[in-house]
Amino acid sequence: MAATPSPCDSSASASNKKWNNLRNILERDGPFCKTDFTPSPDILDFLQNTAKILVIGAGGLGCELLKDLAMMGFGDLHVIDMDTIELSNLNRQFLFRRCDIGSPKAECAARFINQRINTCSVTPYFAKIQDFDDLFYTQFHVIVCGLDSIVARRWINSMINSLVTYQEDGNVDPQSVIPLIDGGTEGFKGNVRVILPSLTACVECTLDLFPPQVTYPLCTIASKPRLPEHCVEYVKIIQWDKENPFSCALDGDDPQHISWVYEKALDRANKHNITGVTYRLVQGVVKNIIPAVASTNAAIAAACANEVFKMASNCYECMSNFMNFNDLDGIYTYTYAAEKNEECLVCSNAPQALNVGNPYTTTLDDVIHMLCDSPKYQMKNPGITTIMYGKNKTLHMSSVGSIAERTRANLTMSLYQLGLRDGQQLMVSDATSPRTITMQLKYNLVDVEMN
Ligand SMILES: [Zn+2]
């Protein structure tokens, strides 16, 4: 007759069983394992007691990521988020409750996981990613991002790439490479990418995947609307100011305002035989947002957590390297290897050439526009310095009032007038990167008459 297990035994065996599925993966060989994978109980031990994972963002993706990673056995998670909890977050950011409104997301998320999953410890940081330096980021084995801002994504990409060191033979020191898993969602669309800094394509290599925000030409909005969005924009930009219905500026959070815009936009759409104007669309266009979809976040976070697990355990090959996901009509995924740009601003070791047609007519302002408008750079507000006669010279810096004033006149001067010659190096700083980027002016003098 079998002895009845004591309650103590059963809880011990339950906690042993808890990781059985992971053990099946980590302690057995299989046809899809990496060739250099050696099954061992030490791997689970590594995930639980040694691996240090940084989650950036504790919002829609962040909540999912923390839950997934904690339940996959990771024992040491860290999370950075600069936001506080709002009522509208609660439908999908399931680690938060109504009483948490107004509190920092990172702290509430960490508290929830720490209370619920006793094998995991989450350390929160109620801060911006820019508040931390390279020493902070080097302590992590893998970094996973669930961000909604492209500038922040570019900044962290640039930071992680700047940590890469090169050996004497010019090859990358593999010890210095911290894998970056990046998830992003927009309504029913999402993507996951795996970035091995300086080895595979980085965020900046494929910057053209993030087109600048959609704006509609005013003439289309005013005279030839084709899309429901055109009708909403018309009411938002033209009709609101003309009719001034509430004697105040349009407030996207005021339901009365949105209802007014909705009715007017619907009238206009009917007049032009356009369908698809809904209250929700009006809200989205007025506030310039795409509604967050919980199921998209769940799918993207799960794919990211899978990649973190593969990276940290070394059991399977990681995804190579970019997955698109769409659950608008059914479910669609597509994975491809995004190519590394050998001249990438961030991850290539090559100096950046800044091509200028005619230095006699190109002004400093033209150069700044080039840095902001070109799909390759998409800078926000670059500051530019150079070295002349062995001295540092600030050419433009709009972020500091007194310097902005002093350097304003430079903007309308040509590069020639500023004394910048072919091959001159410019040091460019911008919010999209923690580093100063060195660019070398390259004049295309073929077309220019020298006199
Ligand atoms: Zn790159």
Side-chain angles (χ1 to χ4, degrees), residues 157 161 200-206 340-341 344-348:
N157 174 67
N161 272 283
T200 65
C202 79
V203 170
E204 215 76 14
C205 286
T206 55
K340 194 165 153 22
N341 174 0
C344 174
L345 197 60
V346 166
C347 72
S348 75

Side-chain angles (χ1 to χ4, degrees), residues 92 148 185-190 213-214 216 229 280-294 296-297 328:
R92 63 194 182 283
D148 59 1
T185 64
E186 201 177 67
F188 290 98
K189 294 181 206 158
Q213 197 144 37
V214 186
Y216 303 105
E229 286 87 348
R280 200 172 169 150
L281 177 92
V282 171
Q283 244 179 342
V285 173
V286 169
K287 293 180 79 175
N288 231 333
I289 49 157
I290 295 160
V293 176
T296 314
N297 280 340
L328 187 59

Side-chain angles (χ1 to χ4, degrees), residues 200-233:
T200 65
C202 79
V203 170
E204 215 76 14
C205 286
T206 55
L207 200 59
D208 49 356
L209 292 176
F210 304 109
Q213 197 144 37
V214 186
T215 51
Y216 303 105
L218 201 59
C219 55
T220 305
I221 295 169
S223 56
K224 277 191 231 124
R226 280 173 290 104
L227 299 171
E229 286 87 348
H230 293 157
C231 304
V232 183
E233 286 282 354

Side-chain angles (χ1 to χ4, degrees), residues 108-276:
C108 289
R111 195 168 54 231
F112 193 106
I113 299 278
N114 290 341
Q115 279 170 2
R116 191 70 171 258
I117 302 175
N118 58 12
T119 51
C120 181
S121 153
V122 184
T123 309
Y125 306 88
F126 175 37
K128 294 199 291 260
I129 50 174
Q130 291 87 348
D131 293 340
F132 301 95
D133 60 7
D134 43 357
L135 266 178
F136 173 81
Y137 289 107
T138 42
Q139 63 179 309
F140 299 103
H141 291 95
V142 181
I143 296 178
V144 53
C145 286
L147 287 164
D148 59 1
S149 143
I150 291 168
V151 171
R153 193 176 265 125
R154 290 175 69 186
W155 190 92
I156 192 72
N157 174 67
S158 192
M159 166 55 87
I160 305 306
N161 272 283
S162 74
L163 301 177
V164 173
T165 55
Y166 291 82
Q167 292 162 336
E168 272 174 24
D169 57 6
N171 287 326
V172 171
D173 175 4
Q175 294 291 328
S176 67
V177 174
I178 301 175
L180 179 67
I181 319 286
D182 179 40
T185 64
E186 201 177 67
F188 290 98
K189 294 181 206 158
N191 64 69
V192 176
R193 59 189 304 173
V194 174
I195 298 168
L196 297 173
S198 82
L199 299 174
T200 65
C202 79
V203 170
E204 215 76 14
C205 286
T206 55
L207 200 59
D208 49 356
L209 292 176
F210 304 109
Q213 197 144 37
V214 186
T215 51
Y216 303 105
L218 201 59
C219 55
T220 305
I221 295 169
S223 56
K224 277 191 231 124
R226 280 173 290 104
L227 299 171
E229 286 87 348
H230 293 157
C231 304
V232 183
E233 286 282 354
Y234 178 82
V235 181
K236 176 184 165 186
I237 295 171
I238 297 166
Q239 216 166 345
W240 182 275
D241 286 341
K242 221 189 253 172
E243 302 189 20
N244 199 6
F246 297 93
S247 311
C248 63
L250 177 56
D251 176 0
D253 289 318
D254 187 326
Q256 274 189 305
H257 290 197
I258 296 292
S259 295
W260 190 87
V261 177
Y262 169 59
E263 273 162 35
K264 297 288 173 183
L266 203 58
D267 282 350
R268 188 167 170 79
N270 289 337
K271 235 177 260 167
H272 292 270
N273 286 325
I274 296 167
T275 55

Side-chain angles (χ1 to χ4, degrees), residues 23-44:
R23 289 215 166 90
N24 283 342
I25 295 171
L26 299 173
E27 296 175 18
R28 300 194 308 194
D29 217 338
F32 300 112
C33 287
K34 279 178 83 168
T35 46
D36 61 348
F37 172 68
T38 320
S40 156
D42 296 346
I43 305 172
L44 184 57

